[in-house]
């Protein structure tokens, strides 16, 4: 039986960012959370990036961080998918 899979630092960073997005969405009003959850899933799944394309992954993480800063502000109450 093989042991647990080892993830690279970049893989761990993407997973941590994904979780961070969902934690931030829990701070939004109850009636708009499903739209935030759907938006997060869509943003992470819409790009078909190879695991070895580190430059693109790092770029997408930076771009996602900027979006996160915008959408996680207290004044943002809803999002349209």
């Amino acid at each position: 039986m093989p042991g647990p899979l080892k993830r690279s630092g970049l893989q761990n960073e993407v997973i941590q960012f994904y979780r961070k997005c969902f934690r931030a969405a829990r701070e939004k009003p109850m009636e708009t959370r499903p739209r935030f959850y759907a938006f997060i899933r869509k943003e992470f799944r819409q790009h078909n990036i190879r695991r070895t394309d580190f430059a693109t992954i790092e770029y997408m993480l930076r771009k996602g961080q900027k979006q996160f800063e915008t959408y996680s502000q207290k004044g943002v109450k809803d999002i349209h998918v």
Side-chain angles (χ1 to χ4, degrees), residues 7 10 12 15-16 25 40 44 46-49 52 56-57 76:
R7 293 187 180 117
L10 194 55
N12 285 330
I15 291 167
Q16 289 170 358
I40 294 165
F44 273 84
Q46 76 181 4
H47 305 285
N48 190 15
I49 303 170
T52 56
T56 303
I57 295 168
V76 177

Side-chain angles (χ1 to χ4, degrees), residues 2 14 16 18 25 44 57 59 61 63-65 68 74 79:
V14 171
Q16 289 170 358
Y18 186 75
F44 273 84
I57 295 168
Y59 166 75
L61 272 172
K63 180 180 171 187
Q65 285 287 355
F68 175 81
K74 296 282 186 199
I79 194 166

Side-chain angles (χ1 to χ4, degrees), residues 30-45:
M30 185 66 80
E31 60 275 1
T32 63
R33 286 181 196 172
R35 286 190 288 275
F36 276 98
Y37 295 152
F39 177 77
I40 294 165
R41 286 185 190 101
K42 181 182 78 73
E43 287 296 308
F44 273 84
R45 291 180 179 159

